[in-house]
Amino acid sequence: MIRVGIFGATGYAGLELVRILWRHPVVEIAFATSTSQAGGRLSDIHPQAPDFPLIAPDQAPLDAIDCALLCLPHAASAEQAIRALDAGRRVIDLSADFRLRDPAVYRRWYAHEHPAPELLDEAVYGLTEQARDRLPGARLVANPGCYATSILLPLLPLVSAGALRGPIIADSKSGVSGAGRTPQAHTHFVEVYENFSAYNVGRSHRHLPEMEQALAGWGGAGAPSLIFSPHLLPVRRGILSTLYAGLAPGWSPGRARERLAAAWADEPFLRLLPEGRLPSLMHVVRSNGCVLGMAEAGPDQLILVSVLDNLVKGAAGQAVQNLNAMFGLDETIGLERPELSA
Amino acid sequence: MIRVGIFGATGYAGLELVRILWRHPVVEIAFATSTSQAGGRLSDIHPQAPDFPLIAPDQAPLDAIDCALLCLPHAASAEQAIRALDAGRRVIDLSADFRLRDPAVYRRWYAHEHPAPELLDEAVYGLTEQARDRLPGARLVANPGCYATSILLPLLPLVSAGALRGPIIADSKSGVSGAGRTPQAHTHFVEVYENFSAYNVGRSHRHLPEMEQALAGWGGAGAPSLIFSPHLLPVRRGILSTLYAGLAPGWSPGRARERLAAAWADEPFLRLLPEGRLPSLMHVVRSNGCVLGMAEAGPDQLILVSVLDNLVKGAAGQAVQNLNAMFGLDETIGLERPELSA
Amino acid sequence: MIRVGIFGATGYAGLELVRILWRHPVVEIAFATSTSQAGGRLSDIHPQAPDFPLIAPDQAPLDAIDCALLCLPHAASAEQAIRALDAGRRVIDLSADFRLRDPAVYRRWYAHEHPAPELLDEAVYGLTEQARDRLPGARLVANPGCYATSILLPLLPLVSAGALRGPIIADSKSGVSGAGRTPQAHTHFVEVYENFSAYNVGRSHRHLPEMEQALAGWGGAGAPSLIFSPHLLPVRRGILSTLYAGLAPGWSPGRARERLAAAWADEPFLRLLPEGRLPSLMHVVRSNGCVLGMAEAGPDQLILVSVLDNLVKGAAGQAVQNLNAMFGLDETIGLERPELSA
Amino acid sequence: MIRVGIFGATGYAGLELVRILWRHPVVEIAFATSTSQAGGRLSDIHPQAPDFPLIAPDQAPLDAIDCALLCLPHAASAEQAIRALDAGRRVIDLSADFRLRDPAVYRRWYAHEHPAPELLDEAVYGLTEQARDRLPGARLVANPGCYATSILLPLLPLVSAGALRGPIIADSKSGVSGAGRTPQAHTHFVEVYENFSAYNVGRSHRHLPEMEQALAGWGGAGAPSLIFSPHLLPVRRGILSTLYAGLAPGWSPGRARERLAAAWADEPFLRLLPEGRLPSLMHVVRSNGCVLGMAEAGPDQLILVSVLDNLVKGAAGQAVQNLNAMFGLDETIGLERPELSA
């Protein structure tokens, strides 16, 4: 058995981790922490959660685990990562703390110094389909953001092949669980229901640099730039990203489809829909899948529509997929594919 | 023009008062207060609200108004009521502070002494259809609660006539705006959407004594008792109350229908649907109507289904209806009937 | 392996049966039928369904199965039940065709003669917790309705013990999937969203006689009568029933709670919440659980709030629980409990 | 009084026309037609509609009206338009029948010959803010589509000034009422709720040619091309369109903002939000407003976010605005601005 500790188990990503790992045949949850609810039980937080005790993060017995799973706010996450690494444990961090390579970029977007810049080089950016070769040896994995996963997965094979011209436009729509469990005016039921809004459009969302860094890594000097516009959907779960990109010289929509189809052919959680079909959130909710539809808008203009569950493939599911890979297990253990059939 | 001041304009009832009074041809909003947002503007709170300045309640110019409309938490409301009355103004209080006659009952349910017990006798319980004779002379009107209005309006003609045996069961379902605008765990979108729950069932909700007091007033010694079970609906607005009552000896469903039809025949905002039809929230949302369906469940068992908009007939709309009556205007001015036709 | 055929696989109950049985370790789906979509594939109907062929019901190979699961409209269901029984197969019917013992009652509510009155005596009413002794030998099981299950499960221990006085009032609220997958005006998104309505209140819903028959069977001559008011909730799944009942002489709320607690203590899918807590749909959605809260409204007045998922415990899940029992398996195989913990 | 007849009053656009015109001080509804519900009353269709009789379209007394308002399917609309024009009445057509100038384009998108090609030259494309000079003399007005209005209103001042480079990308999200009142699988509550999907992306939606024609008219030879991707939002009303466009040489985001601000300064229904603010559906629902936010995504890349109510400014409201203009009235009569203040 692989023993894990979940830090920040009462947030939506933490609860989803518990939901998935509770049935995982090879992973055991050794403890779950909560700063605000320490001393309580997880079933007090969510009626379908197991009756599991919550402990304060500082009392977490690090020697009882093989890996720490961090679902904490940024900065708080880095702090626990350092503690766990110092204790010889491996770490998967679901916060943004170790996603950016450059501490200056981190400072610009998060307005404080990075708490552990010396770890940035070592951290593996855990977009599983791209990172799996480095996961078995990784001590520290930075789990990608939910928006980033929905945008990067379809772009990976195309940008790596130099197929796209920028700017790529990513028009993304996310369910409300992406905004976290802390009650706020903009997550009040009355403000969200029967409403829809855009926010932080263009180049102002904190998850933009994570995506730009990935595209630059895959596309080199000619990597396309990115425009990213998130929107708040009146649903609980799911992200749908509509991507618009020009094709580079020599590329046609058909060739791009072939490239994507080849790259995704053996991926257990990625599905490219046949021509003429587009996905909806219903394709993926509660699964670890990412489903993609592709359309053209002229001979050199591509439209990609990707969907995933922000709490699963966009957070806890991808973390478990990474965990599986880190510990030499089949990546798919404990996770649901985007359809019932294999 | 009648000049009013709205205390607590940034809550849902306060915003609805502004929405209604903004178009009222005879009423002018002299000021709107907010403790937390003083110095800001109402359009910052809600994008369709007018661009109206918000002032601190203590700086409200009471000499500029004829009537104060209080949308404040209990206790805070009584405090402003005293100030306004002392300044010679009339008051409509939308809180629970002046609904109960007996300060001991108030203490039991609100766990503190009533701030102004000497005013309780004078306060008129403003269920307009029942109180209208006393409104022109009233200095202080206690606007009924939303649940109470949905339950009392259909019961008024029947209990007054001695038609019902208790216990009357009121199974009520309310939209989320009834829970207020302050973000809380139980109003978080993710917790409410695709969910439904019961709370404070039986005899434990604070609005129960207000209803019992009214029933006792109408039915005297033989007034039926009440069981009240509120539920939280995943919608923004509207209350549907399903009422179950036995018929007293000598009463048939048909006679009860006749009694109700007669009582409501000339009421501008009350509608009794024909036999075989039941109302939905869509009958009333954004109007000041209360629409009622009646069915039988045997020769001596009645079912009444009433709907109203909790923010309009259940709060701001009824307050304006009371305001109209207090100042000698046609009750219907500025208010929408439950259907477009007159 | 137990081989089953699913008749009517493209409705919501049929799809849920596929979802559950697809992962059932001992049951194999031999075929799935659809009248309107024969020749198509299940994945065309629902994006997360397996890619399974749909055949016409008349071409279903009855010799390939051990048990037929019928998710068909009434009358059509009886017809296929006869065919399957004639071919020597066992049958679980999710329609209403075999729930009523008395063909005259069937005729009154369904306005046509029962297609197979000779089978009514043999059919076992499959409220699993009550019927499990007779399931291993049953050829034909009538799966209870979703409303009925939510109402009868909490009443079973109490009515059997003579604890309740009538009339019992069942105020039930159901998600829209209970209305079926055929598009209709009253299931159009625009008509349901931000709306809520009552329908067929009192004694006019078709599922009333099924419940009266059960109560009469358990309570004998003194069985309490039932008033049943269904409502349409703007959610996809889930039923919450609020039950109001008087206590019989000699019964207190505490004694009733003890009785229920004892009866449910060893039930894998039934949960009685501790005093002071009430359930929400979130307790049970997608599980086979029924969760109950109990409150009092005076010394002799009980309130019970039960929740279940209408497609699982109210339909497909209970059918699988019955299937497990019929074939000598552990009842819980392939089904989820109302919480993650065991 | 201006007397109008509403053809197709039971669809969502027709009902909205009734809602608006019922309170219009200068317009009188002479009749309302319905093919399927002739003989019934409008209040049977929607509980808040007036109790107005529905007649068959062929029995509509054209001599009783000054203007026919057509809310019919394409082709059926053209047929009634011809009848009304032949009878000497003016016509506002809310269908797509008279929006396209070129009958060959109509044939390509609608797969049949245009029923009245001789009228296409005469028809005025009724984007009120652009067409108002020609409306007083118009016999036949083609009311723009809802998506088109949300996209064209912000583009009009910019494309007319040559400020934009193509392709312009319009990523639009619409509430379900845009799909019509006929129950269909894709408007079933269970399929839409907690879901979100893209459809007809790129260059395949029928409302694309209407927009291209308008852009070509304003921008001439250098008019930017358009990519249009509609999505289905799980809400009842409202369209939010996110537009991405490159700036032409010599244009900066600031200059573009000035241009838009100048063009919209005196428009009663159009609002440009200050820098840093973006609109949500809540800004406009039930009003005739179109509210716009503007952001930049680099020195030569513009993002525009527009919102309107698809049934009001996107259909019935704009029709009334056109009606007002056609008959020499103030355009704003009977219509709500996007905020309560004037």
Side-chain angles (χ1 to χ4, degrees):
Chain A
M1 293 299 278
I2 299 159
R3 295 158 307 156
V4 303
I6 300 175
F7 287 77
T10 61
Y12 290 130
L15 278 168
E16 194 70 17
L17 262 180
V18 174
R19 185 180 79 87
I20 295 171
L21 292 177
W22 197 254
R23 292 147 198 237
H24 194 293
V26 191
V27 175
E28 189 184 1
I29 304 174
F31 60 78
T33 84
S34 167
T35 301
S36 61
Q37 313 277 326
R41 308 187 74 81
L42 205 55
S43 49
D44 299 336
I45 305 299
H46 192 286
Q48 289 199 40
D51 182 28
F52 203 86
L54 294 167
I55 62 174
D58 294 341
Q59 295 173 4
L62 291 172
D63 52 354
I65 60 171
D66 301 297
C67 187
L69 300 169
L70 310 180
C71 308
L72 299 169
H74 62 87
S77 213
E79 191 187 325
Q80 293 297 336
I82 295 167
R83 278 191 62 217
L85 292 170
D86 284 351
R89 309 301 155 211
R90 301 170 83 176
V91 169
I92 300 175
D93 179 17
L94 282 80
S95 87
D97 271 350
F98 297 100
R99 292 181 192 154
L100 299 173
R101 281 283 166 83
D102 183 344
V105 176
Y106 183 93
R107 189 190 315 120
R108 194 181 324 136
W109 287 91
Y110 292 92
H112 60 84
E113 289 299 321
H114 194 284
E118 69 282 4
L119 290 171
L120 293 178
D121 268 352
E122 178 185 354
V124 172
Y125 185 69
L127 191 74
T128 325
E129 284 74 11
Q130 189 246 346
R132 57 169 65 102
D133 291 346
R134 286 173 299 147
L135 290 169
R139 275 207 320 159
L140 173 57
V141 171
N143 218 54
C146 50
Y147 279 127
T149 303
S150 81
I151 292 166
L152 292 178
L153 280 177
L155 293 182
L156 172 55
L158 298 173
V159 170
S160 302
L164 304 182
R165 283 182 297 111
I168 297 171
I169 289 167
D171 192 282
S172 293
K173 302 89 176 172
S174 172
V176 183
S177 59
R181 223 176 123 256
T182 306
Q184 292 180 279
H186 68 277
T187 58
H188 192 297
F189 181 85
V190 176
E191 306 302 316
V192 177
Y193 191 75
E194 187 78 331
N195 198 5
F196 180 68
S197 54
Y199 64 100
N200 287 351
V201 301
R203 302 187 49 78
S204 58
H205 192 282
R206 274 182 175 173
H207 290 180
L208 183 70
E210 165 187 355
M211 295 188 265
E212 291 187 311
Q213 173 181 282
L215 295 181
W218 305 339
S225 65
L226 187 66
I227 293 172
F228 167 54
S229 296
H231 299 73
L232 187 66
L233 270 180
V235 304
R236 291 196 293 185
R237 286 161 169 259
I239 288 178
L240 184 148
S241 289
T242 312
L243 311 178
Y244 303 85
L247 285 165
W251 285 85
S252 66
R255 189 177 161 206
R257 171 175 283 276
E258 281 168 25
R259 167 77 186 152
L260 246 164
W264 284 27
D266 298 322
E267 285 295 345
F269 296 114
L270 311 185
R271 294 279 179 277
L272 174 62
L273 295 179
E275 262 190 275
R277 291 189 51 204
L278 294 172
S280 67
L281 297 186
M282 212 178 267
H283 280 79
V284 291
V285 165
R286 266 173 295 276
S287 87
N288 195 49
C290 176
V291 175
L292 185 65
M294 185 183 274
E296 53 187 280
D300 62 352
Q301 196 73 27
L302 216 58
I303 303 180
L304 302 164
V305 181
S306 85
V307 292
L308 53 72
D309 185 317
N310 57 304
L311 295 180
V312 189
K313 186 62 173 170
Q318 185 158 232
V320 172
Q321 196 180 349
N322 285 332
L323 181 74
N324 287 339
M326 286 167 78
F327 286 86
L329 305 176
D330 182 319
E331 272 179 26
T332 66
I333 296 182
L335 295 169
E336 303 214 3
R337 304 190 181 208
E339 69 278 73
L340 289 172
S341 62
Chain B
M1 293 299 278
I2 299 158
R3 296 156 305 153
V4 301
I6 299 175
F7 288 76
T10 62
Y12 289 130
L15 278 168
E16 194 70 18
L17 262 180
V18 174
R19 184 180 79 86
I20 294 172
L21 292 178
W22 198 254
R23 293 148 198 236
H24 194 294
V26 191
V27 175
E28 187 184 2
I29 303 174
F31 60 80
T33 84
S34 166
T35 301
S36 61
Q37 313 278 327
R41 306 187 75 81
L42 205 56
S43 50
D44 299 337
I45 304 298
H46 192 286
Q48 290 198 39
D51 183 27
F52 203 88
L54 294 166
I55 62 173
D58 294 340
Q59 295 173 3
L62 291 172
D63 53 352
I65 60 172
D66 301 297
C67 187
L69 301 169
L70 310 181
C71 307
L72 299 169
H74 62 87
S77 213
E79 192 187 323
Q80 293 297 337
I82 295 167
R83 277 191 62 219
L85 292 170
D86 284 351
R89 307 302 154 210
R90 300 170 84 178
V91 170
I92 300 175
D93 179 17
L94 283 79
S95 88
D97 271 350
F98 297 99
R99 293 180 194 155
L100 299 174
R101 280 283 166 83
D102 183 345
V105 176
Y106 184 92
R107 189 190 316 119
R108 193 181 324 135
W109 288 91
Y110 292 91
H112 61 84
E113 289 299 321
H114 194 283
E118 69 282 5
L119 290 172
L120 294 179
D121 268 351
E122 176 184 355
V124 173
Y125 185 69
L127 191 73
T128 324
E129 284 74 11
Q130 189 245 347
R132 59 169 63 101
D133 290 345
R134 285 172 300 147
L135 291 169
R139 275 206 320 159
L140 171 58
V141 171
N143 218 55
C146 49
Y147 278 127
T149 303
S150 80
I151 291 166
L152 292 178
L153 280 177
L155 293 182
L156 171 55
L158 297 173
V159 170
S160 302
L164 304 183
R165 282 181 299 110
I168 297 171
I169 289 167
D171 192 282
S172 294
K173 302 88 175 171
S174 170
V176 184
S177 59
R181 221 175 126 257
T182 306
Q184 291 180 279
H186 68 275
T187 57
H188 192 297
F189 181 85
V190 176
E191 306 301 317
V192 177
Y193 191 74
E194 187 77 332
N195 199 5
F196 180 68
S197 53
Y199 65 99
N200 288 350
V201 301
R203 302 187 49 77
S204 57
H205 192 282
R206 274 182 175 172
H207 290 179
L208 183 70
E210 164 186 355
M211 295 188 267
E212 290 187 312
Q213 172 182 284
L215 295 182
W218 305 337
S225 66
L226 188 65
I227 293 172
F228 167 53
S229 296
H231 299 73
L232 186 66
L233 270 181
V235 304
R236 291 194 293 185
R237 286 162 169 258
I239 287 179
L240 184 149
S241 289
T242 313
L243 311 179
Y244 303 86
L247 285 165
W251 285 84
S252 65
R255 189 178 161 206
R257 170 176 284 276
E258 281 168 25
R259 168 77 186 150
L260 246 162
W264 285 26
D266 297 324
E267 286 295 344
F269 297 114
L270 311 186
R271 293 281 178 274
L272 174 61
L273 294 179
E275 261 191 277
R277 291 189 52 203
L278 294 172
S280 66
L281 297 186
M282 212 178 268
H283 280 79
V284 291
V285 166
R286 265 172 296 275
S287 87
N288 195 49
C290 176
V291 175
L292 185 66
M294 185 183 273
E296 54 188 280
D300 61 352
Q301 197 72 29
L302 217 57
I303 304 180
L304 302 164
V305 180
S306 84
V307 292
L308 53 72
D309 185 317
N310 58 303
L311 295 180
V312 189
K313 185 62 174 168
Q318 185 159 229
V320 172
Q321 197 180 348
N322 284 332
L323 181 74
N324 287 339
M326 286 166 78
F327 287 86
L329 305 176
D330 182 320
E331 273 180 28
T332 65
I333 296 182
L335 295 168
E336 303 214 2
R337 305 192 179 206
E339 67 281 69
L340 290 172
S341 62
Chain C
M1 294 298 277
I2 299 157
R3 297 158 305 156
V4 302
I6 300 174
F7 288 77
T10 60
Y12 290 129
L15 278 168
E16 194 70 16
L17 262 181
V18 174
R19 184 180 79 87
I20 295 172
L21 292 178
W22 197 253
R23 292 148 197 235
H24 194 293
V26 191
V27 175
E28 188 184 0
I29 303 173
F31 60 79
T33 82
S34 166
T35 300
S36 61
Q37 312 277 326
R41 307 188 75 81
L42 205 54
S43 50
D44 299 337
I45 304 299
H46 192 286
Q48 289 199 41
D51 183 27
F52 202 86
L54 295 166
I55 62 173
D58 294 340
Q59 295 173 3
L62 292 172
D63 53 353
I65 61 172
D66 300 299
C67 187
L69 300 169
L70 310 180
C71 307
L72 299 170
H74 62 87
S77 212
E79 190 186 326
Q80 293 296 336
I82 295 168
R83 277 191 63 217
L85 292 170
D86 284 350
R89 308 301 153 211
R90 300 170 84 178
V91 169
I92 300 175
D93 179 18
L94 283 81
S95 88
D97 271 350
F98 297 100
R99 293 181 192 154
L100 299 173
R101 279 285 166 81
D102 183 344
V105 176
Y106 184 93
R107 189 190 314 119
R108 193 181 324 135
W109 288 90
Y110 291 92
H112 61 84
E113 289 299 321
H114 194 284
E118 68 283 2
L119 290 171
L120 293 178
D121 268 352
E122 178 186 354
V124 172
Y125 185 69
L127 191 73
T128 324
E129 284 74 10
Q130 189 246 347
R132 56 168 67 100
D133 291 346
R134 286 173 299 147
L135 291 168
R139 276 206 319 159
L140 172 58
V141 171
N143 218 55
C146 50
Y147 278 127
T149 303
S150 82
I151 291 166
L152 292 178
L153 280 177
L155 293 182
L156 171 55
L158 297 173
V159 170
S160 302
L164 304 182
R165 283 182 298 110
I168 298 171
I169 289 167
D171 192 282
S172 294
K173 303 87 176 173
S174 171
V176 184
S177 59
R181 224 176 122 256
T182 306
Q184 293 180 279
H186 68 276
T187 57
H188 192 296
F189 181 85
V190 176
E191 306 301 318
V192 177
Y193 192 74
E194 188 77 333
N195 198 5
F196 180 67
S197 54
Y199 64 100
N200 288 352
V201 301
R203 302 187 49 76
S204 58
H205 191 282
R206 275 181 175 172
H207 289 181
L208 183 70
E210 165 187 355
M211 295 188 266
E212 290 187 312
Q213 173 181 283
L215 295 182
W218 306 338
S225 66
L226 187 66
I227 293 172
F228 167 54
S229 296
H231 300 72
L232 187 67
L233 271 180
V235 304
R236 291 195 294 186
R237 286 161 169 258
I239 288 178
L240 185 148
S241 290
T242 312
L243 310 179
Y244 303 86
L247 285 163
W251 284 83
S252 67
R255 189 178 161 206
R257 171 176 282 276
E258 282 168 24
R259 167 78 187 151
L260 246 164
W264 284 26
D266 298 323
E267 286 295 345
F269 297 114
L270 311 186
R271 293 279 179 275
L272 175 62
L273 295 179
E275 262 191 275
R277 290 189 51 202
L278 294 173
S280 67
L281 296 187
M282 213 178 267
H283 280 79
V284 291
V285 166
R286 266 172 295 275
S287 87
N288 195 49
C290 176
V291 175
L292 185 66
M294 186 183 275
E296 53 187 280
D300 62 352
Q301 197 72 28
L302 217 58
I303 304 180
L304 302 165
V305 181
S306 84
V307 292
L308 53 72
D309 185 318
N310 58 303
L311 295 180
V312 190
K313 186 62 173 169
Q318 185 159 231
V320 172
Q321 197 180 348
N322 285 331
L323 181 74
N324 287 339
M326 287 167 77
F327 286 86
L329 305 175
D330 182 320
E331 272 179 27
T332 65
I333 296 182
L335 294 168
E336 303 214 3
R337 303 191 181 207
E339 68 278 71
L340 288 172
S341 62
Chain D
M1 293 297 279
I2 299 158
R3 295 158 305 154
V4 302
I6 299 174
F7 288 77
T10 62
Y12 289 130
L15 279 168
E16 194 69 18
L17 262 181
V18 174
R19 184 180 80 85
I20 295 172
L21 292 178
W22 197 254
R23 292 147 198 237
H24 194 295
V26 191
V27 175
E28 187 184 2
I29 303 174
F31 61 78
T33 83
S34 166
T35 301
S36 62
Q37 313 277 328
R41 306 187 75 81
L42 205 55
S43 51
D44 299 337
I45 303 299
H46 192 286
Q48 290 198 40
D51 183 27
F52 202 87
L54 294 167
I55 61 173
D58 293 341
Q59 295 172 3
L62 292 172
D63 52 354
I65 60 173
D66 300 297
C67 186
L69 300 169
L70 309 180
C71 306
L72 299 170
H74 62 86
S77 213
E79 192 187 323
Q80 294 297 336
I82 295 168
R83 277 191 61 219
L85 292 170
D86 284 351
R89 307 303 153 209
R90 299 171 84 177
V91 170
I92 300 175
D93 179 17
L94 283 80
S95 87
D97 272 350
F98 297 100
R99 294 180 193 154
L100 299 173
R101 281 283 165 82
D102 182 345
V105 175
Y106 183 93
R107 188 190 315 120
R108 193 181 325 134
W109 287 92
Y110 292 91
H112 61 85
E113 290 298 321
H114 194 283
E118 69 282 4
L119 291 170
L120 294 178
D121 268 351
E122 176 184 355
V124 172
Y125 184 69
L127 191 72
T128 324
E129 284 73 12
Q130 189 245 346
R132 59 169 62 103
D133 291 346
R134 286 173 298 147
L135 291 168
R139 274 207 321 160
L140 171 58
V141 171
N143 217 55
C146 49
Y147 278 127
T149 303
S150 81
I151 292 166
L152 293 178
L153 281 177
L155 293 182
L156 171 56
L158 298 173
V159 170
S160 302
L164 304 183
R165 281 181 299 112
I168 296 170
I169 288 167
D171 191 282
S172 294
K173 303 87 175 171
S174 171
V176 183
S177 58
R181 223 176 124 255
T182 306
Q184 292 180 280
H186 68 276
T187 57
H188 191 297
F189 180 85
V190 176
E191 306 301 317
V192 176
Y193 191 73
E194 187 77 332
N195 199 6
F196 180 67
S197 54
Y199 65 99
N200 288 351
V201 301
R203 302 188 48 77
S204 58
H205 191 282
R206 274 182 175 172
H207 290 179
L208 183 69
E210 165 186 355
M211 295 188 266
E212 290 187 312
Q213 173 182 283
L215 295 182
W218 306 337
S225 66
L226 187 66
I227 293 172
F228 168 53
S229 296
H231 299 72
L232 186 67
L233 270 180
V235 303
R236 291 194 294 186
R237 286 161 170 260
I239 288 178
L240 184 148
S241 289
T242 313
L243 311 179
Y244 302 86
L247 285 164
W251 284 84
S252 66
R255 189 178 162 206
R257 170 175 284 275
E258 281 168 25
R259 166 78 186 150
L260 246 163
W264 284 26
D266 297 322
E267 286 295 345
F269 296 114
L270 311 186
R271 292 282 178 274
L272 175 62
L273 294 178
E275 261 191 276
R277 291 189 52 203
L278 295 172
S280 66
L281 297 187
M282 212 177 268
H283 280 78
V284 291
V285 166
R286 265 172 296 276
S287 86
N288 195 49
C290 176
V291 175
L292 185 66
M294 185 183 274
E296 54 188 280
D300 61 352
Q301 196 72 29
L302 217 58
I303 304 181
L304 302 165
V305 180
S306 84
V307 292
L308 53 72
D309 185 318
N310 57 303
L311 295 180
V312 189
K313 185 62 173 168
Q318 185 159 230
V320 172
Q321 197 180 348
N322 285 331
L323 180 75
N324 287 339
M326 286 167 77
F327 286 86
L329 305 176
D330 182 319
E331 272 179 29
T332 66
I333 295 182
L335 295 168
E336 303 213 3
R337 305 192 180 205
E339 69 279 71
L340 289 172
S341 62

